[in-house]
Each structure stands twice: as C-alpha cells, then as structure tokens.
Amino acid sequence: MPRQVFFYEHPDRFVAGTVGQPGQRTFFLQATASGRTTSVALEKTQVAALAERIDELLDEVVRRTGGNAPVPAVAPTEMADSGPLDVPVEEEFRVGTMALAWDGANDRMVIEAQALVELAGEEDDLEAAEEELLQDDENGPPLLRVLLTGAQARSFAKRALDVVSAGRPPCPLCSLPLDPEGHVCPRQNGYRRSA
C-alpha cells in the first residue's frame, strides 16, 4: 500500500492541543487548510521537545543569516491562536518520530511527524528493519508534513509550550503533578498531600 502523506504547504492553522482533563489529556498536532483537517496523536513530552527544537532551530537560522531571515525573535501577538482544536478530532495515527528542517530557499520551517511503527524480531532483524523503513519513502508509514513561515513556527512553539504547561500544577515539595484530590507525596513520607 502506498505511503499516506498529509501535506500542508500553506496551512490555515497548525496547532498543538489536547482532548480530556488534566492528568488524562491526549495531545494532538492538528493541521487545517482548505476545509480539510488532519489530527495526529503524540505524547506530552514529544510536544514539548518539538516546541523547544523549533525555537532552537529558528534562533540558529537568525544567527546564521545575521538577522536577515524572516524570523521574528518572539511569537507575534497578532498570530496568537488560543482556540480549541477543530472538532471532530479524528486521530489519523500516533506519532513515532519527528523531524525538523529549515528550507532556506523558500524561508520555511519543515515539520514532519511520522507514524509509530512496531518492529518485531531479533535485535539484528530490528536494525535491518529500521534501515529498510528509513529508506522506503514510497511504502513507509503515514506522514504529516507541514511547511510554516518563521512567524507561524514561533507562534506554534509558543502555543505548544503553553498547552504543555497548562496541565496539573506541580507539588511544591516534590514537583510531581497534583491531582484535584491530591497525591501521595514522597517528600511527605507517603502521606496524601492536598492541592
């Protein structure tokens, strides 16, 4: 079966968002353009890592171009997007690997999120299967590819970090997340600590 590629060259919207209550949230990347929407699920840590890497890559682009690249230093306030994910949120796939690049010819950030692939077999077989998977562009796992301007990428990164930090507040003693009903705090010798 040929590889399914969800390609957004000029997205109307590209955001990270969640479904569910803090502590039980599912994280998504969602791209929208011309009446079509693609949502892919991923882990909270993947969202945070993606946002941090985007900011780092944009900072490097600005540094290497001597400030001549069309990349703002911070997310433009007029591009802030705090709206919820577009519904219905239908998961196309769960993200396994992600990649970032800067297309200098077109001044665009390229973000790719590839579906999680389960590889089974012996350790030697796994290495061969991974190598084959990396080389198989035509029949590889589903892929979401989004191209963003520097300003869009900064705005995405800011919102993504805001979404990640909007979860449960940390316990002031142990830094583990506090549930509304509290949690068993290791710093309190296992006693329940209230929020």
Side-chain angles (χ1 to χ4, degrees), residues 145-162:
R145 179 179 295 135
V146 181
L147 305 182
L148 302 174
T149 65
Q152 288 173 318
R154 283 280 191 214
S155 295
F156 169 85
K158 180 176 182 340
R159 175 189 166 121
L161 290 173
D162 290 347

Side-chain angles (χ1 to χ4, degrees), residues 33-195:
S34 304
R36 72 183 175 111
T37 300
T38 303
S39 302
V40 297
L42 69 170
E43 299 297 322
K44 178 180 181 177
T45 55
Q46 289 175 298
V47 174
L50 178 62
E52 290 166 4
R53 287 294 298 136
I54 285 172
D55 275 338
E56 289 170 7
L57 180 57
L58 291 174
D59 290 345
E60 183 65 15
V61 167
V62 169
R63 188 186 69 73
R64 286 188 180 195
T65 62
N68 293 325
V71 176
V74 296
T77 55
E78 67 273 8
M79 294 186 79
D81 182 347
S82 59
L85 293 173
D86 294 331
V87 292
V89 178
E90 297 174 359
E91 179 182 324
E92 295 294 339
F93 60 83
R94 179 158 286 282
V95 175
T97 58
M98 296 182 291
L100 291 177
W102 179 258
D103 176 0
N106 296 307
D107 290 327
R108 297 277 175 167
M109 168 81 63
V110 180
I111 300 172
E112 291 185 348
Q114 181 174 286
L116 181 64
V117 177
E118 298 284 333
L119 298 174
E122 300 294 322
E123 192 170 316
D124 292 341
D125 294 343
L126 285 177
E127 288 180 17
E130 286 176 352
E131 187 62 32
E132 183 179 325
L133 180 65
L134 291 172
Q135 293 177 3
D136 190 4
D137 288 338
E138 192 173 306
N139 297 311
L143 176 76
L144 171 64
R145 179 179 295 135
V146 181
L147 305 182
L148 302 174
T149 65
Q152 288 173 318
R154 283 280 191 214
S155 295
F156 169 85
K158 180 176 182 340
R159 175 189 166 121
L161 290 173
D162 290 347
V163 166
V164 167
S165 66
R168 298 173 288 172
C171 171
L173 297 176
C174 68
S175 299
L176 292 174
L178 279 172
D179 290 322
E181 57 276 346
H183 78 285
V184 176
C185 182
R187 301 284 305 268
Q188 292 281 323
N189 292 326
Y191 287 98
R192 182 163 292 279
R193 177 161 176 77
S194 299

